[in-house]
Amino acid sequence: MLVLYITYIDLGKNDIGSKLRPYKMYKAFLNLNYKVKILSAAQTLKNRNNRITKIKEIEVWLKNNKPNFCYIESDYTAIRFLEDYKLIKLLKTLNIPTAYFYRDFDYKFPDMKTSVSGLINNLRELFIKFLWFKTNRILNKVDIVYFPSKYCFKYFDFEDMRALPPASEIINYIDKEYTN
């Protein structure tokens, strides 16, 4: 089984914090004996050229290879670069089943955010809303959108939504407060 695994971090540089889940998903694919072709590069502005180069390498690779499926492990922000959107569209055109793990969607809860006023901050918030709008539109092109829990489904209307629990070790723990 060949999987194309796309992350929005530099996998391998650090396997703690927000990088832990992408790292554990990668390890899970390897433990299943899948061959993994990985696109791993941060989507920060200073890393933009590196990410775009790696996307172009994947596009060339896809001319001679067809993975059984593609799994995309999202960043904590919306998809930022046009090249990422184009890659997801290409996967759809090539009929490669694609799943996307939707990590964070704090923008759905504006009341929980600390409001910072000023023209620059208002423009920044508007840009972020635009990126989320674009991200959600492209996610209508993927086959499955995974969320950390089924309780997230009520905030979205994607055609196929499924729960994919956190990529952590199983801990035998019972919260006594909720068992009484």
Side-chain angles (χ1 to χ4, degrees), residues 13-155:
K13 287 191 174 182
N14 200 343
D15 59 357
I16 59 171
S18 63
K19 297 178 181 182
L20 184 59
R21 180 184 176 86
Y23 174 77
K24 290 217 175 211
M25 289 302 295
Y26 175 65
K27 288 300 211 181
F29 288 134
L30 294 178
N31 287 338
L32 291 169
N33 293 319
Y34 290 177
K35 291 182 182 177
V36 181
K37 178 66 173 177
I38 191 159
L39 189 168
S40 169
Q43 66 169 348
T44 60
L45 287 177
K46 73 177 187 177
N47 197 47
R48 185 175 193 277
N49 290 337
N50 181 39
R51 179 145 189 100
I52 290 170
T53 298
K54 290 190 176 194
I55 290 170
K56 289 180 184 200
E57 289 171 0
I58 292 295
E59 289 171 346
V60 169
W61 179 81
L62 285 168
K63 290 179 181 179
N64 297 312
N65 298 277
K66 184 167 182 181
N68 296 91
F69 68 95
C70 174
Y71 176 77
I72 303 170
E73 181 75 32
S74 70
D75 195 2
Y76 64 91
T77 63
I79 297 171
R80 295 183 187 171
F81 302 135
L82 178 63
E83 292 78 9
D84 280 294
Y85 294 110
K86 288 179 179 178
L87 178 58
I88 293 171
K89 285 181 183 179
L90 176 62
L91 295 170
K92 182 71 172 178
T93 301
L94 296 173
N95 294 316
I96 297 169
T98 302
Y100 183 93
F101 181 79
Y102 209 128
R103 178 184 286 236
D104 290 319
F105 45 93
D106 63 335
Y107 70 94
K108 290 278 190 178
F109 307 98
D111 295 345
M112 297 179 77
K113 284 187 172 182
T114 304
S115 179
V116 182
S117 61
L119 179 62
I120 299 296
N121 286 316
N122 289 337
L123 289 173
R124 181 183 177 278
E125 286 297 316
L126 188 61
F127 181 66
I128 289 170
K129 285 179 184 176
F130 172 71
L131 288 176
W132 278 117
F133 171 77
K134 284 183 62 167
T135 296
N136 287 331
R137 278 197 57 205
I138 196 71
L139 292 184
N140 282 312
K141 296 194 180 301
V142 303
D143 300 287
I144 301 169
V145 179
Y146 285 109
F147 290 94
S149 158
K150 66 181 179 179
Y151 300 106
C152 304
F153 299 173
K154 65 184 173 184
Y155 300 105

Side-chain angles (χ1 to χ4, degrees), residues 20 24 165-175:
L20 184 59
K24 290 217 175 211
S168 63
E169 302 300 323
I170 296 172
I171 299 172
N172 194 0
Y173 173 77
I174 297 173
D175 190 339

Side-chain angles (χ1 to χ4, degrees), residues 157-168:
D157 61 357
F158 300 117
E159 191 172 320
D160 190 349
M161 297 184 287
R162 301 181 194 181
L164 186 63
S168 63

